[in-house]
Amino acid sequence: MVGQARQQLSSIRPATYIGKGKVEELSLLAREFDVDVIIFDDELSPGQQRNLEEGLEAKVIDRTALILDIFASHAHTREGALQVELAQYEYRLPRLTRAWTHLVRQAGGGAARGGAGGVGLRGPGETQLETDRRVIGRRIAQLKQQLEGVRRQRAQHRHQRRKQWLPVVALVGYTNSGKSTLLNALTDANVLATDMLFATLDPITRRLQLPGGRAVLVTDTVGFIQKLPTQLVAAFRATLEEIVDADLMLHVVDIMHRNVQQQVETVGQVLQQIGAGEKPLLVALNKVDLLDDPEEASRLARQYRQAVAVSALDGRGLGDLLLAMERTVSRQMVRVRALVPYSKGALLSLFRRSGRVEREQHGVSGVLIEGELPPALVDQFERFLVKTAAGRAGES
């Protein structure tokens, strides 16, 4: 990077986003340092981008284009490639349209004067524009259809998981906060963990045994970022549904980042945006191995609700995190006391496999079983619930 510049404006300039004087200043700097590309840390309209390139005499890209390029370089699976390609086409389509307007103006006859035109009167620019828009429109439709298939497949996988009822813990957090490293530390997942933005695009799910014996599924997801482009939210719908459907959000925070509070707020905003804002949330304050004072970790943890200080790199605090995960998952369980007939052995197996059995008593007509069950499974035991001393079925 050659350098950077900032400008405070009372309002965005419709034509160039920044002021006329700043455009002239950047133009001089671009020529002085022989700059090839100028990146704007915000989304530009197609017209603003075109006007800036003319004024600066350099290639101009905005925040969204840069993020899409990074995503494209990391899309190594078919699903990831489909999602990124869709986002790129939807971002580029209006820019392609504007790119051809100079040819539309050159078109002859009625089309050139803004009229409807007719046979033999439509200019080459309009023809090329319509052709390109039609080709890209068809490709967008194909990508959406293919991603809908991915979405249905993911929904089927989630349904199969629900039949076994294993709680799902979604690792969420700002990009590069250490989610993949934490997944590796907890589950020996051996997934790519690198100091790189958006290294994880596709959800990666691994099974984890909690200290009390309960099994959960932990899913690593795409990292969030401030001002997440709307094209990405739409294109990554199938991926983000893995978060929405989870039972617990494990928010991984890079406690050493200089903008940590801003990142925490950004993640909260994105969770609200995708419909996961009300999910149970546990915070993992990561990278405490970089703190000079070990006591600082405890002080930082007290600043956040439901937080545990950890180091995914050296394992510090992971035992406490697992216990906190178990407590949080257990709070969602429902206490059940049921007399299950011997003929319903599958139900007994389901209780033992997916719930937590506290007591079993074999009687003449069946097995009296007590313990905790996931809410989604309670209905299957409805006919066999028995009253407790408190006088209500299935509760103590």
Side-chain angles (χ1 to χ4, degrees):
M1 183 176 70
V2 173
Q4 58 182 350
R6 298 173 181 270
Q7 183 179 34
Q8 285 189 324
L9 293 170
S10 57
S11 62
I12 300 299
R13 301 296 185 262
T16 55
Y17 190 85
I18 55 177
K20 181 180 178 182
K22 182 59 72 172
V23 173
E24 293 173 353
E25 177 190 331
L26 287 177
S27 178
L28 290 173
L29 289 171
R31 286 198 294 270
E32 179 181 352
F33 293 102
D34 194 23
V35 170
D36 296 316
V37 179
I38 298 175
I39 302 172
F40 278 71
D41 188 20
D42 215 332
E43 185 165 339
L44 302 172
S45 71
Q48 288 168 345
Q49 185 175 357
R50 186 184 69 251
N51 292 336
L52 285 166
E53 287 186 337
E54 291 176 357
L56 298 172
E57 297 180 349
K59 181 177 177 60
V60 172
I61 64 174
D62 62 9
R63 177 187 181 87
T64 299
L66 178 62
I67 292 172
L68 290 174
D69 282 349
I70 296 172
F71 268 64
S73 67
H74 296 167
H76 301 304
T77 67
R78 177 178 174 272
E79 179 182 346
L82 288 173
Q83 291 174 125
V84 173
E85 186 181 356
L86 175 60
Q88 287 179 319
Y89 274 130
E90 292 189 327
Y91 169 79
R92 290 172 179 168
L93 182 58
R95 286 154 178 82
L96 175 75
T97 301
R98 295 297 183 94
W100 283 100
T101 53
H102 66 291
L103 290 180
V104 176
R105 289 196 298 269
Q106 294 170 8
R113 295 189 295 272
V119 176
L121 297 180
R122 304 176 101 173
E126 184 177 358
T127 303
Q128 183 64 58
L129 169 61
E130 290 180 345
T131 299
D132 285 3
R133 289 180 67 182
R134 195 160 48 247
V135 169
I136 291 178
R138 280 201 299 265
R139 183 56 183 159
I140 287 175
Q142 291 171 354
L143 290 167
K144 286 183 175 179
Q145 186 177 23
Q146 292 177 59
L147 283 172
E148 185 59 30
V150 171
R151 183 170 171 258
R152 286 195 298 268
Q153 188 177 45
R154 286 202 174 280
Q156 290 174 357
H157 290 165
R158 288 196 297 271
H159 179 68
Q160 289 300 320
R161 292 202 301 254
R162 286 299 177 195
K163 287 172 70 174
Q164 302 176 33
W165 209 87
L166 290 175
V168 178
V169 179
L171 297 179
V172 299
Y174 210 84
T175 184
N176 212 29
S177 61
K179 299 186 305 300
S180 297
T181 304
L182 184 59
L183 179 69
N184 287 338
L186 291 174
T187 66
D188 296 322
N190 197 31
V191 300
L192 174 66
T194 182
D195 185 13
M196 183 186 296
L197 297 178
F198 309 114
T200 302
L201 293 188
D202 301 314
I204 300 170
T205 301
R206 295 293 185 270
R207 188 184 180 101
L208 171 65
Q209 198 86 7
L210 296 176
R214 188 193 312 280
V216 298
L217 297 176
V218 183
T219 298
D220 188 15
T221 58
V222 62
F224 298 157
I225 193 168
Q226 190 179 18
K227 295 182 287 188
L228 190 67
T230 53
Q231 293 92 345
L232 284 177
V233 175
F236 278 72
R237 180 184 174 196
T239 295
L240 295 174
E241 282 179 352
E242 293 287 323
I243 298 174
V244 177
D245 199 57
D247 302 285
L248 170 64
M249 305 286 112
L250 181 55
H251 181 182
V252 183
V253 176
D254 178 359
I255 200 62
M256 298 302 295
H257 198 280
R258 64 182 183 276
N259 296 323
V260 59
Q261 192 54 43
Q262 185 182 64
Q263 291 188 351
V264 168
E265 291 170 1
T266 295
V267 171
Q269 291 164 4
V270 175
L271 289 176
Q272 289 286 349
Q273 181 182 355
I274 65 176
E278 304 306 316
K279 293 280 185 178
L281 183 76
L282 187 62
V283 178
L285 301 177
N286 193 26
K287 305 187 183 181
V288 297
D289 54 289
L290 300 178
L291 292 172
D292 295 329
D293 180 8
E295 296 300 319
E296 183 74 0
S298 299
R299 187 188 68 78
L300 290 169
R302 289 193 292 271
Q303 295 181 11
Y304 296 87
R305 188 170 174 268
Q306 297 287 335
V308 180
V310 303
S311 169
L313 199 61
D314 69 12
R316 196 177 312 175
L318 294 187
D320 293 335
L321 179 61
L322 290 171
L323 289 172
M325 290 168 63
E326 187 161 57
R327 285 194 299 269
T328 307
V329 170
S330 294
R331 279 197 290 269
Q332 301 176 55
M333 304 289 276
V334 177
R335 292 196 61 79
V336 168
R337 187 168 185 255
L339 181 60
V340 181
Y342 289 112
S343 61
K344 301 294 183 180
L347 275 183
L348 290 170
S349 298
L350 179 64
F351 201 126
R352 295 169 186 140
R353 183 176 66 250
S354 301
R356 188 173 71 86
V357 177
E358 295 176 352
R359 184 165 75 97
E360 281 191 42
Q361 183 178 337
H362 292 256
V364 176
S365 57
V367 178
L368 180 65
I369 189 166
E370 293 185 59
E372 295 178 334
L373 273 177
L377 298 183
V378 174
D379 286 350
Q380 299 188 46
F381 293 82
E382 186 71 33
R383 290 181 298 156
F384 310 114
L385 295 180
V386 298
K387 292 182 183 291
T388 64
R392 290 189 297 175
E395 296 183 4
S396 57

